[in-house]
Amino acid sequence: MKAILKISLILTIFCMYSCAETQQVLETTGRVQLDGTYTITILNGDSVNGMTINFSGITKRVSGYGGCNQYFADYTLNNLTLSIGDIGATKKACPNLDNETELFEALANVGSYNSVGKSLTLYSKDNNDVLIEATEN
């Protein structure tokens, strides 16, 4: 009887540990839905060059190059709903920061995304307009 009790206890502990491991894998998988480095090709309907965006699914950080400065922020992801937090950036002085400023404003307004193959599209939270189109490197 004691042997059966011990075996039952060991099996219960093993099952609980396995469930915790499975939950951790599922949570990690959900975070890495959006992951990789992309070259931004379209910003608010206009073609752009030299801008990048990188999503790290494990750390939930977005970063990249805005044409003059490096930028970074935290993001949250829930299914296809994407929210980018306050954006920090280096402070290089460049002659024209208009596109970079436009990029930072677009990122602050992101509400959802779609990723198909190597294409990433970021949509506004207000009216689902396309804000950013990018291609995975």
Side-chain angles (χ1 to χ4, degrees):
M1 187 67 157
K2 287 183 179 181
I4 293 174
L5 186 59
K6 286 180 181 179
I7 291 171
S8 295
L9 181 61
I10 290 170
L11 287 174
T12 301
I13 291 170
F14 177 75
C15 288
M16 292 174 70
Y17 178 76
S18 295
C19 290
E21 287 284 314
T22 301
Q23 181 64 32
Q24 185 178 12
V25 167
L26 290 173
E27 288 173 1
T28 301
T29 301
R31 287 194 302 256
V32 297
Q33 292 177 45
L34 186 57
D35 195 70
T37 301
Y38 300 82
T39 299
I40 298 171
T41 55
I42 305 290
L43 175 61
N44 292 325
D46 296 323
S47 294
V48 292
N49 292 312
M51 295 181 167
T52 63
I53 188 166
N54 177 53
F55 288 93
S56 174
I58 299 297
T59 62
K60 291 185 157 181
R61 299 275 293 170
V62 61
S63 60
Y65 181 69
C68 177
N69 291 287
Q70 300 290 328
Y71 66 90
F72 48 89
D74 292 326
Y75 74 88
T76 56
L77 185 61
N78 185 7
N79 294 326
L80 295 180
T81 302
L82 172 64
S83 178
I84 297 176
D86 294 335
I87 298 167
T90 56
K91 302 287 185 187
K92 290 182 185 174
C94 297
N96 184 358
L97 293 174
D98 292 343
N99 280 349
E100 189 168 272
T101 301
E102 190 175 347
L103 172 63
F104 296 165
E105 289 171 358
L107 290 172
N109 193 34
V110 168
S112 62
Y113 78 99
N114 187 30
S115 179
V116 178
K118 291 188 171 271
S119 297
L120 173 68
T121 306
L122 303 180
Y123 301 95
S124 77
K125 57 185 158 193
D126 299 327
N127 54 14
N128 261 358
D129 284 346
V130 174
L131 297 174
I132 296 170
E133 293 181 40
T135 304
E136 189 171 17
N137 297 345

